[in-house]
Amino acid sequence: MSRFTLVKEDLAGAISDEGYATAASDFYFVIDCTQTMQWVLDTICENLLSVVKIFEDGGLRMRYGVLEFRDRKYREDDSLIHHFFGESTSSCNGPHFTDDVDELKSVLEGLEAKWGGPPKESVFDALKHAVECPDWRDDATRVVVLFTDAEPHVPDTEVKSWQDCIEVVEKSEIDMLHLVVSEKHIEKYRKLRLIQGPNDEDLPGDLLPLGDSEHSSESLRKVLEGIGYSSTRKAAMDNAKKGFRGV
């Protein structure tokens, strides 16, 4: 795990200053929804409220987004799906983020694991569409969390290489990227730990093992909670640096 993974005791110290209560974070779930991922979808849904509570205890103004993906080379039309929240208009399908946990839970519970499966999916294109989302808040810590048990297509439909993917993420200026991937592919995904953050330091985030079946649900639950704590810590740190107090 990276240096940003925390336990409850670390978090308590990070948020003890009342000024942190105004910190904001936009949290984007990017989820491989191929047929081998049903147990992952179930585990995320079962533990969603405990992760949300971590953010609430941290006093964060949270919003959540969901992007599901599969294999665009196999099925172009419906293998990359942005989920929208709220009311659509003539010019927009609706916002990409919601602060309503019930809305988020409804979307996550509606995800269906189907088609495809390992070995390769449209991971690069999914990351591109997530980090380039137009709805990120300017004052929020921007967090993307990828869940997949597959390798990326190289090239993918839009993003053609590991280096292209790195450059896309760097240009987006997100603040944190968590990668929860099959253990057998971790060394490949380590390439994405070369990504530089907005201040030219290593982009914060964790590279974590997904597990391989429903028997790994407990370890995935701990991974989700760890991501919750580390993301809350990062938002608090960013908020302190920006000087947002009492907003």
Side-chain angles (χ1 to χ4, degrees), residues 27-33 41 64-70 72 79-85 96-97 104 107-108 111 122-133 144-147:
F27 194 90
Y28 216 147
F29 291 89
V30 180
I31 307 176
D32 176 349
C33 289
L41 301 181
Y64 306 91
V66 178
L67 186 151
E68 65 174 284
F69 70 94
R70 298 177 179 84
R72 298 185 82 190
S79 289
L80 191 65
I81 301 175
H82 292 271
H83 286 273
F84 299 97
F85 302 91
H96 290 78
F97 292 98
L104 172 65
V107 166
L108 289 173
L111 297 179
S122 290
V123 176
F124 288 169
D125 285 2
L127 285 174
K128 178 180 188 295
H129 280 254
V131 302
E132 293 181 352
C133 170
V144 173
V145 187
L146 170 74
F147 298 89

Side-chain angles (χ1 to χ4, degrees), residues 70-103:
R70 298 177 179 84
D71 185 348
R72 298 185 82 190
K73 290 178 176 289
Y74 173 63
R75 294 177 62 100
E76 174 67 24
D77 293 341
D78 50 7
S79 289
L80 191 65
I81 301 175
H82 292 271
H83 286 273
F84 299 97
F85 302 91
E87 295 184 2
S88 61
T89 66
S90 58
S91 59
C92 178
N93 290 323
H96 290 78
F97 292 98
T98 182
D99 59 6
D100 187 325
V101 175
D102 289 335
E103 276 193 321

Side-chain angles (χ1 to χ4, degrees), residues 112-145:
E112 184 179 356
K114 60 184 179 181
W115 311 321
K120 296 182 179 181
E121 307 297 348
S122 290
V123 176
F124 288 169
D125 285 2
L127 285 174
K128 178 180 188 295
H129 280 254
V131 302
E132 293 181 352
C133 170
D135 292 343
W136 296 106
R137 288 177 292 182
D138 290 339
D139 69 334
T141 296
R142 305 173 180 190
V143 182
V144 173
V145 187

